């Protein structure tokens, strides 16, 4: 792939002809626009990059604010210099991925653009090709953005990692995928998944049923994620043998967890005492991941979250890593990002946000 750059003192566009119709884009280029021309030497990869009816090019335009025009295997990018630089890097890296046979989805383009804006030197192949686990349905689990990649790398390299950010950013799901892989590769002997049952509070004993039936609704999301990564029979077998344990955080008291991958979910709803108790359970050859969203604290107003307290007390300690997510890292339905932004703008605590 070769490229050519033209700096223009006036509006710069490329007229379309035939099948090379341009992607419908923003307004005509400004007077200080620059033009980059890229020659894509692999027609198959170029078609994959363009998408059906140039859909991918239109999405790149919206993500970068540039105009993109295609004529055969020549692609022209027009816009302000900084935006053109982002668009060119995005096109070049997506083209390399397309040549390697990697499918390019609209979601990937949006996340790739965010990653490049955060770090212009990032290699998108390192982000999107880091397969953590092939799930039970033969669906690979891999980071879907730069924040997720940095989070995954931190879990690999540190014994205690805090993942803090809004719902839907993959904090718990990715940690569980890494835990399952560690168990399968015999790096750990067991997985322990835990979360607080705050909503039940001291009234847990008044709920009908056995203790397991009482806490089960609060642990259901962990079971759901586990069953999404392996078939039900395999998961149930591991649970029955105690190789995977799902329990409320109160059950961690008095234990020492050696050779274990431990995940504390919904950590914003722990008290300071619970967080200290959990962190001091960690034994030899073990790893702990703590995830939470500090905007969704369900504790009474007079109780400080153990997650926010740990963030204050433990930042800077060697061997402990903090990784943060924002609404741009949400990998659920696109409307979830807009919902989170709306609550943030309103100044709401977010206690009623969907999880």
């Amino acid at each position: 792939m070769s490229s050519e750059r033209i700096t223009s003192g006036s509006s710069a566009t490329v007229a379309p002809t035939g099948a090379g119709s341009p992607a419908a884009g923003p307004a005509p280029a400004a007077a200080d626009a620059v033009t980059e021309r890229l020659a894509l030497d692999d027609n198959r990869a170029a078609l994959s990059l363009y998408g059906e009816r140039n859909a991918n090019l239109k999405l790149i335009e919206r993500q970068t604010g540039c105009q993109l025009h295609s004529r055969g295997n020549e692609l022209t990018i027009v816009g302000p210099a900084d935006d053109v630089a982002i668009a060119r890097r995005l096109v070049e890296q997506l083209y390399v991925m397309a040549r390697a046979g990697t499918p390019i989805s609209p979601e990937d383009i949006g996340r790739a653009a965010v990653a490049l804006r955060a770090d212009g030197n990032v290699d998108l192949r390192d982000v999107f090709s880091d397969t953590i686990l092939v799930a039970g349905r033969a669906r690979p689990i891999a980071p879907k953005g730069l924040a997720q990649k940095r989070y995954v790398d931190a879990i690999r390299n540190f014994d205690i990692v805090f993942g803090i950010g809004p719902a839907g950013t993959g904090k718990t799901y990715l940690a569980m995928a890494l835990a399952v892989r560690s168990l399968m590769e015999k790096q750990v002997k067991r997985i322990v998944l835990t979360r607080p049952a705050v909503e039940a509070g001291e009234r847990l004993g008044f709920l009908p049923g056995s203790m397991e039936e009482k806490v089960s609704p609060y642990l259901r999301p962990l079971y759901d994620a586990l069953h999404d990564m392996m078939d039900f029979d395999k998961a149930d077998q591991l649970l029955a043998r105690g190789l995977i344990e799902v329990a409320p955080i109160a059950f961690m008291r008095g234990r020492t967890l050696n050779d274990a991958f431990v995940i504390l979910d919904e950590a914003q709803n722990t008290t300071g005492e619970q967080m200290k108790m959990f962190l001091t359970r960690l034994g030899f050859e073990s790893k702990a991941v703590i995830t939470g969203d500090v905007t969704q604290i369900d504790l009474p107003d007079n109780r400080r979250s153990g997650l926010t307290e740990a963030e204050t007390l433990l930042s800077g300690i060697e061997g402990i890593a903090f990784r943060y997510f924002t609404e741009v890292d949400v990998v659920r339905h696109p409307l979830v990002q807009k919902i989170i932004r709306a609550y943030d703008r309103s100044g709401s605590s977010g206690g009623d946000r969907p999880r």
Side-chain angles (χ1 to χ4, degrees):
M1 176 173 59
S2 59
S3 64
E4 175 188 4
R5 177 170 179 171
I6 302 171
T7 303
S8 174
S10 59
S11 178
T13 59
V14 175
T17 59
S21 59
D32 59 349
V34 300
T35 299
E36 290 257 4
R37 292 195 178 100
L38 304 176
L40 311 178
D41 52 9
D42 185 324
N43 290 334
R44 179 195 58 80
L47 288 173
S48 177
L49 171 65
Y50 293 172
E52 186 175 354
R53 297 182 181 178
N54 284 343
N56 289 345
L57 296 187
K58 295 174 185 178
L59 183 54
I60 294 173
E61 285 185 331
R62 289 197 295 271
Q63 292 289 338
T64 63
C66 297
Q67 299 177 50
L68 275 69
H69 305 271
S70 62
R71 178 181 293 174
N73 68 341
E74 182 178 276
L75 185 64
T76 304
I77 307 172
V78 183
D82 290 344
D83 292 336
V84 167
I86 291 287
R88 177 178 56 79
R89 286 197 292 270
L90 181 59
V91 167
E92 288 175 340
Q93 295 208 44
L94 291 174
Y95 175 69
V96 170
M97 293 169 61
R99 290 193 67 171
T102 303
I104 298 174
S105 69
E107 293 80 10
D108 290 338
I109 292 174
R111 293 167 190 142
V114 170
L116 283 170
R117 287 195 181 279
D119 182 354
N121 296 318
V122 67
D123 188 336
L124 295 178
R125 289 172 297 178
D126 290 342
V127 175
F128 294 101
S129 301
D130 183 5
T131 301
I132 300 169
L133 183 72
V134 177
R137 303 186 186 98
R139 177 177 51 82
I141 298 173
K144 294 184 177 180
L146 186 58
Q148 287 195 355
K149 171 63 174 173
R150 289 171 173 168
Y151 175 62
V152 167
D153 287 343
I155 294 174
R156 288 171 173 151
N157 296 322
F158 293 87
D159 288 338
I160 297 178
V161 175
F162 288 80
I164 301 174
T169 49
K171 304 181 299 294
T172 304
Y173 195 82
L174 289 172
M176 289 188 65
L178 287 161
V180 170
R181 179 164 182 170
S182 295
L183 182 65
M184 291 178 171
E185 295 181 350
K186 301 187 185 304
Q187 296 173 6
V188 296
K189 294 182 179 178
R190 57 179 165 165
I191 298 172
V192 179
L193 310 172
T194 185
R195 67 187 323 201
V198 166
E199 294 85 350
E202 298 300 324
R203 297 181 297 277
L204 192 64
F206 293 96
L207 295 176
S210 65
M211 180 60 69
E212 182 177 349
E213 290 170 333
K214 292 172 184 177
V215 301
S216 180
Y218 304 102
L219 304 176
R220 188 73 257 166
L222 298 177
Y223 284 106
D224 291 342
L226 181 61
H227 288 141
D228 194 45
M229 295 176 190
M230 60 179 65
D231 61 67
F232 281 82
D233 290 341
K234 178 67 172 177
D236 290 343
Q237 182 185 45
L238 294 174
L239 287 164
R241 294 170 57 192
L243 297 180
I244 298 180
E245 178 184 351
V246 183
I249 191 170
F251 288 20
M252 298 295 105
R253 190 172 301 278
R255 303 176 61 183
T256 300
L257 301 172
N258 294 316
D259 299 302
F261 197 121
V262 193
I263 300 172
L264 170 58
D265 188 32
E266 296 288 333
Q268 76 276 1
N269 288 330
T270 61
T271 64
E273 295 82 0
Q274 287 176 323
M275 179 62 75
K276 179 182 177 182
M277 180 271 292
F278 172 81
L279 292 173
T280 54
R281 299 308 93 199
L282 199 64
F284 294 105
E285 303 300 325
S286 290
K287 188 180 293 287
V289 180
I290 301 94
T291 68
D293 178 1
V294 294
T295 68
Q296 295 197 62
I297 298 173
D298 296 321
L299 294 169
D301 291 339
N302 62 339
R303 301 299 299 272
R304 184 182 183 187
S305 166
L307 179 58
T308 58
E309 184 178 58
E311 187 179 9
T312 301
L313 295 175
L314 306 180
S315 294
I317 294 180
E318 187 176 354
I320 299 178
F322 287 81
R323 294 294 180 266
Y324 296 90
F325 298 83
T326 66
E327 74 279 355
V328 300
D329 302 310
V330 171
V331 292
R332 291 180 181 172
H333 192 287
L335 282 175
V336 174
Q337 285 189 12
K338 297 178 181 179
I339 291 169
I340 292 173
R341 290 193 186 105
Y343 275 98
D344 288 343
R345 285 195 300 269
S346 74
S348 168
S349 66
D352 296 326
R353 263 186 221 167
R355 300 183 182 182

